[in-house]
Amino acid sequence: MRIGLFGGSFDPIHIGHLLAASEAAEALGLDRVLFVVAARPPHKTPIAPPEARYEMVLLATAEDERFSASRLELARPGPSYTVDTLREARALFPEAELFFITGADAYRDLPTWKEGERLADYATLVAVARPGYPLEALSAPVIPLWVPEVGISSTEIRRRIKEGRSVRYWVPRPVEVYLERNGFYR
């Protein structure tokens, strides 16, 4: 079994995340992609609460049988350290080949992560291309994954919502409805 652990704050999840996960599944021959919602990421402070971000991931991944939302970091108290998540995933899936997937922008901060040098002990590290973050510049031991460049970011989605602009086609329709109903990012 080959399992991808796609880590992120998903504040909110958007089409670019889903495209990256799909490309990773195909390129790496993954059987499953678990979207691991960072409950309390130490390097940034999400706006929407962890459970709301998890619910949006559930909604966004419901139609693809390869994808599922993971509560790995939600059940654990304290900061959401990737090394702890990968240790837990290794214990849960001892026979699986694990791949940790996240944006190339996150890997630039790898030296500041808790036990960042140990991550590759638990999973193969995969860096997804992001606009403005060349994969060639990464010094970490990662597999670069080029995906079609989509100029969509969670930051831009939050800005658009705050300005009262539409995010249709930026996020899956169920996520758009969820955001409208719950008023996040206004």
Short mmCIF file of all heavy atoms in Angstrom, two decimals, residues 50-72:
data_model
loop_
_atom_site.label_atom_id
_atom_site.label_comp_id
_atom_site.label_asym_id
_atom_site.label_seq_id
_atom_site.Cartn_x
_atom_site.Cartn_y
_atom_site.Cartn_z
N PRO A 50 -9.74 24.59 13.49
CA PRO A 50 -9.37 23.29 12.94
C PRO A 50 -10.55 22.43 12.48
O PRO A 50 -10.49 21.84 11.40
CB PRO A 50 -8.62 22.61 14.09
CG PRO A 50 -8.12 23.72 14.94
CD PRO A 50 -9.14 24.82 14.80
N GLU A 51 -11.60 22.35 13.28
CA GLU A 51 -12.74 21.51 12.90
C GLU A 51 -13.42 22.02 11.63
O GLU A 51 -13.88 21.22 10.80
CB GLU A 51 -13.75 21.39 14.04
CG GLU A 51 -13.29 20.50 15.17
CD GLU A 51 -13.09 19.02 14.78
OE1 GLU A 51 -13.77 18.53 13.85
OE2 GLU A 51 -12.25 18.37 15.43
N ALA A 52 -13.49 23.33 11.45
CA ALA A 52 -14.09 23.88 10.24
C ALA A 52 -13.23 23.56 9.02
O ALA A 52 -13.76 23.19 7.96
CB ALA A 52 -14.26 25.40 10.37
N ARG A 53 -11.92 23.66 9.16
CA ARG A 53 -11.03 23.33 8.05
C ARG A 53 -11.12 21.84 7.72
O ARG A 53 -11.12 21.45 6.55
CB ARG A 53 -9.60 23.76 8.37
CG ARG A 53 -9.48 25.29 8.41
CD ARG A 53 -8.08 25.81 8.68
NE ARG A 53 -7.71 25.61 10.08
CZ ARG A 53 -6.75 24.80 10.50
NH1 ARG A 53 -6.01 24.12 9.66
NH2 ARG A 53 -6.49 24.70 11.79
N TYR A 54 -11.27 21.01 8.74
CA TYR A 54 -11.46 19.57 8.53
C TYR A 54 -12.77 19.32 7.78
O TYR A 54 -12.81 18.53 6.83
CB TYR A 54 -11.44 18.83 9.87
CG TYR A 54 -11.76 17.37 9.75
CD1 TYR A 54 -10.82 16.47 9.29
CD2 TYR A 54 -13.02 16.89 10.08
CE1 TYR A 54 -11.11 15.11 9.16
CE2 TYR A 54 -13.33 15.54 9.96
CZ TYR A 54 -12.37 14.66 9.50
OH TYR A 54 -12.67 13.33 9.37
N GLU A 55 -13.84 19.98 8.17
CA GLU A 55 -15.13 19.81 7.50
C GLU A 55 -15.04 20.21 6.03
O GLU A 55 -15.61 19.55 5.16
CB GLU A 55 -16.22 20.61 8.21
CG GLU A 55 -16.64 20.02 9.54
CD GLU A 55 -17.69 20.85 10.25
OE1 GLU A 55 -18.56 21.44 9.56
OE2 GLU A 55 -17.63 20.91 11.49
N MET A 56 -14.31 21.30 5.75
CA MET A 56 -14.16 21.73 4.35
C MET A 56 -13.37 20.69 3.56
O MET A 56 -13.70 20.41 2.39
CB MET A 56 -13.48 23.10 4.28
CG MET A 56 -14.40 24.24 4.70
SD MET A 56 -13.68 25.87 4.43
CE MET A 56 -12.72 26.08 5.95
N VAL A 57 -12.36 20.07 4.18
CA VAL A 57 -11.59 19.01 3.50
C VAL A 57 -12.49 17.81 3.24
O VAL A 57 -12.44 17.21 2.17
CB VAL A 57 -10.33 18.65 4.30
CG1 VAL A 57 -9.68 17.38 3.76
CG2 VAL A 57 -9.32 19.80 4.28
N LEU A 58 -13.32 17.45 4.22
CA LEU A 58 -14.28 16.35 4.02
C LEU A 58 -15.16 16.63 2.79
O LEU A 58 -15.36 15.75 1.94
CB LEU A 58 -15.18 16.18 5.24
CG LEU A 58 -14.68 15.35 6.40
CD1 LEU A 58 -15.67 15.42 7.56
CD2 LEU A 58 -14.47 13.91 5.98
N LEU A 59 -15.69 17.83 2.72
CA LEU A 59 -16.56 18.20 1.61
C LEU A 59 -15.81 18.16 0.27
O LEU A 59 -16.34 17.68 -0.73
CB LEU A 59 -17.14 19.60 1.83
CG LEU A 59 -18.14 19.74 2.98
CD1 LEU A 59 -18.39 21.21 3.28
CD2 LEU A 59 -19.43 19.01 2.65
N ALA A 60 -14.59 18.67 0.28
CA ALA A 60 -13.82 18.77 -0.97
C ALA A 60 -13.36 17.43 -1.49
O ALA A 60 -13.20 17.25 -2.70
CB ALA A 60 -12.62 19.69 -0.75
N THR A 61 -13.13 16.48 -0.61
CA THR A 61 -12.57 15.18 -1.02
C THR A 61 -13.61 14.08 -1.19
O THR A 61 -13.27 12.98 -1.60
CB THR A 61 -11.50 14.72 -0.01
OG1 THR A 61 -12.12 14.58 1.29
CG2 THR A 61 -10.34 15.70 0.07
N ALA A 62 -14.86 14.37 -0.91
CA ALA A 62 -15.91 13.35 -0.88
C ALA A 62 -16.11 12.62 -2.21
O ALA A 62 -16.47 11.45 -2.21
CB ALA A 62 -17.23 13.97 -0.42
N GLU A 63 -15.87 13.28 -3.32
CA GLU A 63 -16.18 12.68 -4.61
C GLU A 63 -15.03 11.88 -5.23
O GLU A 63 -15.19 11.30 -6.29
CB GLU A 63 -16.64 13.75 -5.59
CG GLU A 63 -17.98 14.34 -5.20
CD GLU A 63 -18.51 15.29 -6.24
OE1 GLU A 63 -18.01 15.32 -7.38
OE2 GLU A 63 -19.45 16.03 -5.91
N ASP A 64 -13.88 11.85 -4.59
CA ASP A 64 -12.74 11.11 -5.14
C ASP A 64 -12.39 9.98 -4.18
O ASP A 64 -11.95 10.22 -3.06
CB ASP A 64 -11.54 12.04 -5.34
CG ASP A 64 -10.44 11.42 -6.18
OD1 ASP A 64 -10.17 10.20 -6.02
OD2 ASP A 64 -9.85 12.15 -6.98
N GLU A 65 -12.57 8.75 -4.61
CA GLU A 65 -12.37 7.60 -3.73
C GLU A 65 -10.92 7.44 -3.28
O GLU A 65 -10.65 6.74 -2.31
CB GLU A 65 -12.86 6.32 -4.41
CG GLU A 65 -12.11 5.98 -5.68
CD GLU A 65 -12.74 4.83 -6.44
OE1 GLU A 65 -13.93 4.54 -6.23
OE2 GLU A 65 -12.03 4.23 -7.26
N ARG A 66 -9.98 8.10 -3.96
CA ARG A 66 -8.57 8.02 -3.55
C ARG A 66 -8.29 8.92 -2.35
O ARG A 66 -7.29 8.74 -1.66
CB ARG A 66 -7.64 8.45 -4.69
CG ARG A 66 -7.76 7.64 -5.96
CD ARG A 66 -6.99 8.30 -7.08
NE ARG A 66 -7.55 9.63 -7.35
CZ ARG A 66 -7.02 10.52 -8.19
NH1 ARG A 66 -5.92 10.22 -8.86
NH2 ARG A 66 -7.59 11.70 -8.39
N PHE A 67 -9.15 9.90 -2.12
CA PHE A 67 -8.89 10.94 -1.12
C PHE A 67 -9.71 10.73 0.14
O PHE A 67 -10.84 10.27 0.09
CB PHE A 67 -9.27 12.32 -1.66
CG PHE A 67 -8.50 12.77 -2.87
CD1 PHE A 67 -8.97 13.82 -3.63
CD2 PHE A 67 -7.32 12.16 -3.26
CE1 PHE A 67 -8.28 14.27 -4.74
CE2 PHE A 67 -6.62 12.59 -4.38
CZ PHE A 67 -7.11 13.65 -5.12
N SER A 68 -9.14 11.14 1.28
CA SER A 68 -9.91 11.21 2.52
C SER A 68 -9.29 12.23 3.45
O SER A 68 -8.09 12.52 3.37
CB SER A 68 -10.02 9.83 3.19
OG SER A 68 -8.75 9.32 3.49
N ALA A 69 -10.12 12.77 4.30
CA ALA A 69 -9.66 13.73 5.31
C ALA A 69 -9.12 12.95 6.50
O ALA A 69 -9.67 11.92 6.87
CB ALA A 69 -10.81 14.63 5.73
N SER A 70 -8.05 13.45 7.08
CA SER A 70 -7.43 12.77 8.22
C SER A 70 -7.51 13.64 9.46
O SER A 70 -7.30 14.85 9.41
CB SER A 70 -5.96 12.49 7.91
OG SER A 70 -5.28 12.05 9.06
N ARG A 71 -7.78 12.98 10.59
CA ARG A 71 -7.84 13.66 11.88
C ARG A 71 -6.55 13.47 12.68
O ARG A 71 -6.52 13.74 13.87
CB ARG A 71 -9.04 13.14 12.68
CG ARG A 71 -10.38 13.41 12.01
CD ARG A 71 -11.54 13.05 12.91
NE ARG A 71 -11.56 13.84 14.12
CZ ARG A 71 -12.05 15.08 14.22
NH1 ARG A 71 -12.59 15.66 13.18
NH2 ARG A 71 -12.02 15.71 15.38
N LEU A 72 -5.50 12.99 12.04
CA LEU A 72 -4.25 12.70 12.75
C LEU A 72 -3.80 13.84 13.66
O LEU A 72 -3.39 13.61 14.79
CB LEU A 72 -3.12 12.38 11.76
CG LEU A 72 -3.01 10.96 11.27
CD1 LEU A 72 -1.93 10.83 10.21
CD2 LEU A 72 -2.74 10.01 12.41
#
